Amino acid sequence: MNWNALTDGHTKYVYFFEGGDEWLFDLDNDPYEVTNLASIQTDDSEELLMWRARMVSQFEEEERGSVWVLNGNLQTMEASYCSKTKFGPNYPCYNSSNPTQQCDIS
């Protein structure tokens, strides 16, 4: 599972690359991150749109490429994608059909 998160100290946004799930937490009122606000907001809510745009900007600054952002939109990973791509020298990649088996991506 690959996720990326951003926070401003008051809100935390988490984006899951595999599947595209999003989590959004109000850290001031929910410091233990119990209530996922993204699950109760519409996809076009102002707050989710703002945090998605921030994640897009972060990925573009890091020059992650079209695997992560395409035409200003966050991308998702196919279940078998990590076996075809090496994200970095220390990136753990596991076989989606057997989560205990690490992929050979050399």
Side-chain angles (χ1 to χ4, degrees), residues 5 8-9 18 43 48 53 56 58 78 81 84 86 94-95:
D8 61 5
E18 188 173 325
D43 277 347
L48 274 176
V56 166
Q58 182 67 36
E78 305 166 21
Y81 193 79
K84 299 182 239 172
K86 188 170 184 174
Y94 295 92
N95 184 323

Side-chain angles (χ1 to χ4, degrees), residues 8-106:
D8 61 5
H10 302 284
T11 303
K12 180 177 178 182
Y13 173 77
V14 184
Y15 178 73
F16 290 87
F17 184 47
E18 188 173 325
D21 291 335
E22 297 172 297
W23 291 353
L24 188 67
F25 299 103
D26 177 348
L27 300 177
D28 293 328
N29 295 308
D30 182 18
Y32 297 106
E33 301 176 9
V34 175
T35 304
N36 175 13
L37 299 174
S39 68
I40 57 177
Q41 293 185 9
T42 61
D43 277 347
D44 62 350
S45 77
E46 199 172 305
E47 190 169 27
L48 274 176
L49 290 173
M50 179 196 67
W51 282 100
R52 279 187 204 124
R54 286 183 178 183
M55 187 65 77
V56 166
S57 293
Q58 182 67 36
F59 287 170
E60 288 175 340
E61 262 183 47
E62 295 170 358
E63 299 179 355
R64 291 197 186 192
S66 62
V67 170
W68 296 89
V69 175
L70 184 62
N71 299 324
N73 295 304
L74 294 170
Q75 299 300 292
T76 58
M77 175 176 66
E78 305 166 21
S80 62
Y81 193 79
C82 74
S83 64
K84 299 182 239 172
T85 304
K86 188 170 184 174
F87 291 105
N90 299 314
Y91 181 80
C93 181
Y94 295 92
N95 184 323
S96 58
S97 62
N98 181 356
T100 61
Q101 179 185 10
Q102 198 158 4
C103 297
D104 178 18
I105 54 175
S106 53

